């Protein structure tokens, strides 16, 4: 089973790129983030024509998440992250696909910090950690996949001081990610590449893609049962270098 996560940064604008990658990579499940489209604007027919069933949670202009399944229909188990009924941002969807519980998440960026956006980021991650603990307690094969908007360690950011004040690297943000690992979730990329420098995001500004000035923000965290099934992982970096590319590259795992 091949499971991928991809922040497409506007699903309609990047649709041609997305469809080309689906044809080439043939993932069984894809978690998409930052759709930037209301439900009525989502490219349902094009995705279905590519052979994928989909569960969509759109939002106009910002946010939006989806789960695609090849030759299958995701069975949605949650349309939102529990813990705050007043939160109307489309950042979390969860579904069962072929016996695996999969979450597609787009965590808050949190900038500028300090301030209300950073407070929301930390509160959102606290809710995620609470729900993640419940998923582990259920003892089912599960994957938390998406753009966490956290670079977990200094090596997950290219050599620079320009991100020192950024919400993505603050101690509180990294502590929230570490709590997930301490619960028992496995970071699939780091498990597969324990010492390599891996990036998944390259900002459009300041020539960062040609300079390989990247960050690792997109993660696949595996429950204990799922971690035992891991056979490989990677980042499809070349997708970032294509015309009209997202500023993120797809990240994937393979399992037995």
């Amino acid at each position: 089973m091949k499971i991928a996560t991809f922040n497409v940064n506007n699903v309609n604008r990047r649709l041609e790129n997305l469809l080309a990658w689906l044809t080439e990579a043939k993932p069984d499940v894809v978690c998409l983030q930052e759709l930037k489209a209301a439900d009525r604007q989502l490219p349902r027919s094009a995705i279905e024509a590519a052979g994928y069933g989909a569960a969509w949670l759109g939002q106009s202009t910002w946010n939006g998440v989806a789960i695609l399944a090849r030759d299958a229909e995701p069975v949605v188990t949650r349309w939102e992250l529990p813990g705050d009924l007043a939160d109307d941002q489309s950042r979390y969807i969860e579904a069962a696909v072929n016996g695996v519980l999969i979450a597609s998440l787009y965590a808050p960026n949190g900038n500028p910090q300090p301030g209300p956006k950073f407070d929301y980021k930390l509160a959102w991650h606290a809710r995620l950690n609470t729900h993640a603990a419940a998923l582990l307690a259920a003892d089912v094969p599960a994957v938390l996949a998406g753009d966490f908007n956290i670079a977990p360690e200094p090596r997950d950011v290219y050599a620079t001081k320009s991100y020192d004040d950024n919400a993505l690297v603050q101690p509180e943000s990294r502590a929230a990610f570490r709590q997930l690992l301490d619960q028992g979730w496995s970071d699939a990329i780091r498990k597969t590449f324990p010492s390599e420098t891996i990036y998944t995001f390259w900002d459009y500004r300041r020539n960062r893609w040609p300079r390989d000035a990247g960050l690792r923000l997109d993660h696949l965290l595996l429950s204990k049962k799922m971690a035992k099934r891991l056979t490989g992982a990677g980042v499809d970096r070349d997708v970032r270098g294509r015309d009209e590319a997202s500023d993120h590259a797809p990240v994937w795992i393979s399992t037995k």
Side-chain angles (χ1 to χ4, degrees):
M1 190 175 187
K2 186 175 184 180
I3 303 171
T5 182
F6 188 11
N7 180 324
V8 293
N9 190 8
N10 194 320
V11 68
N12 287 307
R13 182 173 179 180
R14 321 286 177 203
L15 183 59
E16 184 176 340
N17 284 14
L18 172 62
L19 294 174
W21 171 73
L22 290 175
T23 299
E24 297 162 7
K26 294 181 171 56
D28 298 295
V29 183
V30 183
C31 296
L32 299 178
Q33 302 88 39
E34 212 171 346
L35 303 178
K36 294 184 177 179
D39 284 345
R40 67 183 183 280
Q41 300 169 316
L42 296 169
R44 300 174 188 273
S45 59
I47 295 299
E48 290 173 0
Y52 286 82
W56 304 90
L57 185 62
Q59 190 161 21
S60 181
T61 308
W62 307 110
N63 308 323
V65 287
I67 297 175
L68 315 184
R70 186 155 62 101
D71 299 325
E73 292 293 333
V75 179
V76 176
T77 53
R78 283 195 175 275
W79 292 100
E80 74 288 315
L81 184 64
D84 184 357
L85 294 176
D87 187 355
D88 61 357
Q89 297 192 30
S90 298
R91 293 186 176 276
Y92 187 93
I93 189 171
E94 181 182 293
V97 182
N98 296 330
V100 179
L101 193 63
I102 297 173
S104 177
L105 64 93
Y106 177 47
N109 177 281
N111 286 302
Q113 72 83 30
K117 290 186 177 182
F118 190 60
D119 294 341
Y120 172 65
K121 177 185 183 74
L122 297 183
W124 195 93
H125 276 285
R127 290 162 53 203
L128 174 64
N129 289 1
T130 297
H131 183 55
L135 293 179
L136 281 182
D139 196 28
V140 297
V143 179
L144 302 178
D147 180 355
F148 284 67
N149 265 315
I150 295 173
E153 303 174 82
R155 61 176 167 162
D156 295 318
V157 182
Y158 76 99
T160 181
K161 293 186 177 296
S162 62
Y163 277 94
D164 287 358
D165 294 327
N166 197 291
L168 309 178
V169 304
Q170 294 310 299
E172 300 94 331
S173 303
R174 286 175 166 168
F177 190 88
R178 172 53 59 182
Q179 286 173 12
L180 289 168
L181 303 185
D182 290 344
Q183 285 179 5
W185 295 91
S186 293
D187 180 345
I189 287 292
R190 197 48 75 201
K191 185 179 178 71
T192 306
F193 304 100
S195 58
E196 289 88 340
T197 297
I198 304 287
Y199 301 139
T200 68
F201 165 84
W202 296 260
D203 197 298
Y204 294 124
R205 297 168 293 182
R206 300 179 183 174
N207 214 32
R208 286 190 172 107
W209 166 248
R211 294 192 293 121
D212 195 25
L215 290 80
R216 190 170 75 98
L217 303 178
D218 305 89
H219 311 294
L220 293 114
L221 300 189
L222 313 183
S223 69
K224 295 175 183 178
K225 282 191 172 181
M226 205 64 190
K228 292 178 181 178
R229 295 167 53 177
L230 181 68
T231 58
V235 180
D236 290 343
R237 283 176 54 107
D238 65 294
V239 176
R240 173 62 180 87
R242 299 177 183 179
D243 291 342
E244 290 295 316
S246 168
D247 44 6
H248 295 252
V251 185
W252 56 269
I253 60 168
S254 57
T255 67
K256 57 186 176 183

